[in-house]
Amino acid sequence: MGKTNGTLSNSRWLFLLLLFLSIFLFLFLKEEETALDRNEEIGKKEARIPQDQCAAFCPARQDQLIKHHGGDLIDTNYLVKTVEKERDNFHKMLKENYGEESFKSMWIDKETNQVVGNRAIFSANMESDVSYKKLKRKLQLKALRVQIALMEDKKNIGGCDCTETSVSSSSRRGRRILNSEKTIVLPEVSDYFERFVWSTGGHSAAAAHGNLFNESYTSYLESSAKDAFRAIGIEFIGRNYAMGGMDSAPQLALCNEAVYGVDADVISWDFGMTDGQAHWKTNLYANRIGVHKNRPAHVSLNMAGRQMKGRVLELQKAESDGVPSLYLKPEIQDKITEGVPDVYG
C-alpha cells in the first residue's frame, strides 16, 4: 500500500507552520519605532475605579495578565523565548506522530543537520529576497500591535494609569491594601490583541475534495499554528476558500476581497492544474493581491512542473511592481512528501 491522499495533502501544512514559527524568532532582532492605529478596541473596559484604589488595582492587574499569558507580553525577550518553546513543542509533536526515523527523513537537512522549515518559501527574486523581508515585517507589526495594545491598556484601564512609572512607587502599599482592606474586581483578560489570517485559494485538491473539510491542509495549519500564535496574543485564522474546478482568474482575482476577506494577511495560490499554461492568470491574481486593502502576501503552492518557470517569471513581474510574491520550494516539498511513512489499512 502507498501513502494515502489525505496524508500527502496534509504534509504541506507542516513546513508552512515551521516557517511561521521560525520567522517569529527574528521578530525583535532590531528595535523599531512604529506608530500604529488600532482598528478596533479589544476587550471591554470595566467601570471606573476610584483613584484611591489604583495603587491596589494596578499591581493586581499586572499579576492577572502575567498569570493569564504565562509572562509579560510587553517583554520582547519573553516573546522570543515563548516562540522558541512553541517551536520545540511542535517538533516534539511531529516526532510523536511520525516516529523518530520518519521525522529525520522528512525534516532534517542531511548537510546542515538542521530542521527544514525556516526557508520553505522563497521570494520570486531569491537574490533580493524582498518579499520574504516584507512577510517578516508584517509579522513584526502584528507582534508590535500586541505590545502597543497592552501598553495602551495600562495607560487607562478603569480610569487608572498603570504604567510602570506611576505604579512602581506605590505597588508594595497597593498590594497590602488589596490583600487586607479592599476587594477589587479585575476585568476579564483577552487571549488575543491581534489576528493573522491565512486564506487559501485553489482548486479541488486545495479544497480537500475526497477528504473531510477539517482534513484540508488549511484546517491542519490553523489547528497546529493557533497555539503558538495565541501564546503571544495573536489569533491565527485559516480560511479554506478553495473551490473545485476554479481557476485563479479572472473571477477570483478581480473579487479577491469579497472571496478571501478584507483582513487577509496571506492569500495563497494553488491553481496549478486549472490555470495550466495561462500564465496571465497567475499575473493577474498576484497583481490584484497587490491592491488588496490589507496588503497581504501572495504565496504560491504546488508550482512544480512544466509550467513552473513561466509562473515564477510572472511572480517576479508582480514582485517588481511591489507585490510580496513568494512560492513554496519544490525540493523541500518533495523531501517532506517522500519522507511520509506508508500507511496500511
Side-chain angles (χ1 to χ4, degrees):
M1 296 291 290
K3 303 173 180 68
T4 64
N5 290 335
T7 303
L8 289 175
S9 64
N10 292 335
S11 65
R12 294 171 226 162
W13 67 269
L14 300 172
F15 49 80
L16 291 172
L17 175 56
L18 276 179
L19 166 72
F20 285 120
L21 293 180
S22 301
I23 287 176
F24 269 118
L25 296 179
F26 301 97
L27 288 180
F28 301 103
L29 294 179
K30 295 182 180 179
E31 293 185 3
E32 299 183 19
E33 293 184 2
T34 311
L36 298 168
D37 293 326
R38 294 180 65 196
N39 293 328
E40 59 182 356
E41 186 179 9
I42 303 178
K44 269 199 239 174
K45 296 285 191 303
E46 301 296 323
R48 292 184 66 84
I49 297 165
Q51 288 298 305
D52 62 348
Q53 295 185 27
C54 287
F57 172 83
C58 289
R61 173 64 171 176
Q62 180 66 9
D63 289 345
Q64 180 193 30
L65 290 170
I66 290 176
K67 182 178 180 180
H68 184 85
H69 295 292
D72 186 1
L73 293 181
I74 298 177
D75 182 354
T76 297
N77 291 327
Y78 170 74
L79 285 183
V80 174
K81 289 178 181 179
T82 298
V83 174
E84 290 175 342
K85 178 182 177 181
E86 292 296 330
R87 180 196 58 189
D88 293 341
N89 288 339
F90 181 67
H91 291 173
K92 181 180 178 181
M93 181 269 289
L94 289 177
K95 291 177 182 179
E96 292 174 351
N97 288 350
Y98 289 95
E100 188 74 33
E101 291 303 315
S102 293
F103 174 83
K104 290 180 180 178
S105 63
M106 293 170 66
W107 296 105
I108 302 298
D109 188 307
K110 293 181 179 179
E111 295 182 2
T112 64
N113 203 35
Q114 299 295 316
V115 176
V116 175
N118 181 33
R119 292 315 307 264
I121 62 173
F122 286 78
S123 300
N125 185 334
M126 289 189 287
E127 185 176 348
S128 68
D129 210 18
V130 63
S131 294
Y132 187 76
K133 294 173 183 176
K134 288 181 177 180
L135 179 57
K136 281 175 60 176
R137 185 175 64 189
K138 176 177 278 287
L139 289 166
Q140 286 177 323
L141 293 175
K142 295 287 183 181
L144 286 171
R145 287 191 180 106
V146 170
Q147 293 181 315
I148 289 173
L150 286 166
M151 288 188 285
E152 288 180 348
D153 184 79
K154 273 190 171 185
K155 289 180 181 178
N156 183 18
I157 173 71
C160 293
D161 182 356
C162 293
T163 56
E164 184 177 354
T165 54
S166 65
V167 173
S168 58
S169 62
S170 59
S171 61
R172 184 178 301 176
R173 181 177 65 84
R175 291 175 193 274
R176 217 169 36 241
I177 294 172
L178 180 66
N179 292 333
S180 62
E181 298 178 17
K182 298 181 182 295
T183 299
I184 295 178
V185 178
L186 297 170
E188 292 183 0
V189 179
S190 175
D191 286 334
Y192 307 112
F193 302 91
E194 258 296 330
R195 61 169 50 175
F196 189 94
V197 178
W198 171 290
S199 291
T200 296
H203 48 58
S204 57
H209 290 185
N211 295 82
L212 298 176
F213 186 79
N214 63 359
E215 293 174 339
S216 67
Y217 63 75
T218 308
S219 294
Y220 272 89
L221 173 62
E222 180 186 74
S223 63
S224 300
K226 64 181 181 181
D227 287 342
F229 280 77
R230 182 194 292 121
I232 57 172
I234 300 174
E235 182 181 15
F236 186 94
I237 299 173
R239 295 175 180 161
N240 184 1
Y241 290 142
M243 292 175 273
M246 290 294 293
D247 46 9
S248 65
Q251 291 91 343
L252 292 177
L254 296 177
C255 302
N256 60 22
E257 289 188 6
V259 175
Y260 301 119
V262 295
D263 57 348
D265 294 295
V266 171
I267 297 178
S268 68
W269 178 100
D270 195 351
F271 296 93
M273 179 173 62
T274 48
D275 276 9
Q277 299 180 33
H279 297 156
W280 66 268
K281 295 182 180 181
T282 304
N283 183 278
L284 178 59
Y285 191 84
N287 274 283
R288 287 295 299 172
I289 289 175
V291 296
H292 187 283
K293 177 181 179 180
N294 202 40
R295 307 285 181 89
H298 169 40
V299 178
S300 293
L301 309 175
N302 293 308
M303 293 276 285
R306 289 175 295 177
Q307 304 303 322
M308 179 172 176
K309 184 176 180 180
R311 289 167 182 162
V312 172
L313 287 175
E314 296 302 330
L315 292 182
Q316 290 174 345
K317 293 177 185 177
E319 188 177 63
S320 67
D321 291 334
V323 183
S325 303
L326 306 103
Y327 67 95
L328 175 61
K329 195 173 183 180
E331 296 90 328
I332 295 178
Q333 181 175 355
D334 291 343
K335 171 180 171 57
I336 298 172
T337 302
E338 292 168 4
V340 175
D342 289 335
V343 178
Y344 298 91

